[in-house]
DNA sequence: AAAACTTTGACTATTTTTGTCAAAACAATA
DNA sequence: TATTGTTTTGACAAAAATAGTCAAAGTTTT
């Protein structure tokens, strides 16, 4: 069960790249990438997409890892997290439906 | 399928209270409460709890409404929202387990 | 021990969120 | 329709959160 930071680190190390190289690709300071990999800074969706491309990693999967992390970050410690997820699912389902009808 | 703002408005109107009164209870400007009810400003968890108490509404339910809204706000428009929710669920399950073991 | 790489923290800049206020808009009622 | 009560809006300021920069300290590799 990997979070996005760990995933990026795994991919980077698999290639044997230093932070410097990936950070340059993303056009950010390597200190920030270091923090991203350890979950101390956030990524943008655009950065995730760029990284998936860079590492030839499935973009959809990486985005799902990214978004699920965001959710965990927000409600992971809440007592009713599971219930909230369930309701969120229903709301999304509902939104989809009503958006279709307009 | 109500969001937290609509729920609060519903409860407030059921009691026939003006914004002023509920805003005073929360110790915020009535303009902010107006915006909260229309989804233009966010609530804090503490405010939600206070409101549940104020309206004699089930606290758990109101918090679930609140947190599910937060999730929707973050990922509701994303293509892979549903998948992200599923993975988030697994991550929460996982977190629970590992936290038990320490 | 030198070189390459990573982490840390202090500091600044930028962006986002929040609060305040008064005027405008709206609604209900005399 | 004038008056009163309520809600909405938007401009502005204040505060908080987030992001970027940089160099020194720490770690790993050779």
């Amino acid at each position: 069960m990997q979070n996005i930071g760990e995933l990026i680190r795994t991919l980077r190390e698999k290639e044997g790249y230093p932070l410097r190289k990936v950070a340059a690709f993303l056009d950010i300071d390597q200190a920030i990438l270091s923090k991203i990999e350890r979950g101390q800074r956030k990524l943008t969706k655009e950065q995730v997409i760029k990284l998936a491309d860079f590492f030839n990693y499935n973009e959809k999967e990486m985005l799902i890892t990214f978004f699920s992390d965001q959710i965990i970050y927000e409600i992971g410690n809440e007592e009713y997290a599971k219930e909230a997820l369930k309701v969120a699912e229903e709301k999304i389902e509902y939104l989809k439906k009503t958006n279709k009808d307009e």
Side-chain angles (χ1 to χ4, degrees), chain A:
Chain A
M1 192 77 49
Q2 246 178 347
N3 64 38
I4 188 72
E6 291 166 350
L7 173 57
I8 291 166
R9 174 148 297 186
T10 299
L11 292 170
R12 180 174 64 79
E13 291 181 339
K14 200 172 72 185
E15 301 292 338
Y17 294 155
L19 287 170
R20 180 171 28 82
K21 176 158 181 168
V22 180
F25 170 73
L26 288 178
D27 195 28
I28 60 176
D29 193 288
Q30 66 168 29
I32 293 177
L33 183 56
S34 170
K35 285 168 186 169
I36 285 173
E37 290 185 346
R38 280 166 306 106
Q40 294 174 7
R41 288 283 172 110
K42 289 177 189 166
L43 287 155
T44 66
K45 183 182 174 184
E46 286 62 39
Q47 288 172 329
V48 174
I49 291 170
K50 284 184 76 175
L51 287 170
D53 185 51
F54 187 72
F55 289 119
N56 276 300
Y57 190 86
N58 185 282
E59 181 181 303
K60 175 174 177 178
E61 253 190 62
M62 198 179 272
L63 283 170
I64 290 171
T65 299
F66 171 64
F67 288 124
S68 61
D69 271 11
Q70 279 189 212
I71 296 169
I72 297 301
Y73 178 78
E74 280 224 329
I75 66 151
N77 295 319
E78 296 299 337
E79 189 176 359
Y80 307 128
K82 277 191 79 171
E83 291 94 332
L85 286 173
K86 188 135 213 83
V87 173
E89 215 173 308
E90 291 165 15
K91 284 181 178 173
I92 282 174
E93 204 51 58
Y94 177 78
L95 286 177
K96 244 189 223 164
K97 265 194 190 153
T98 54
N99 281 347
K100 267 186 191 149
D101 303 340
E102 59 182 28

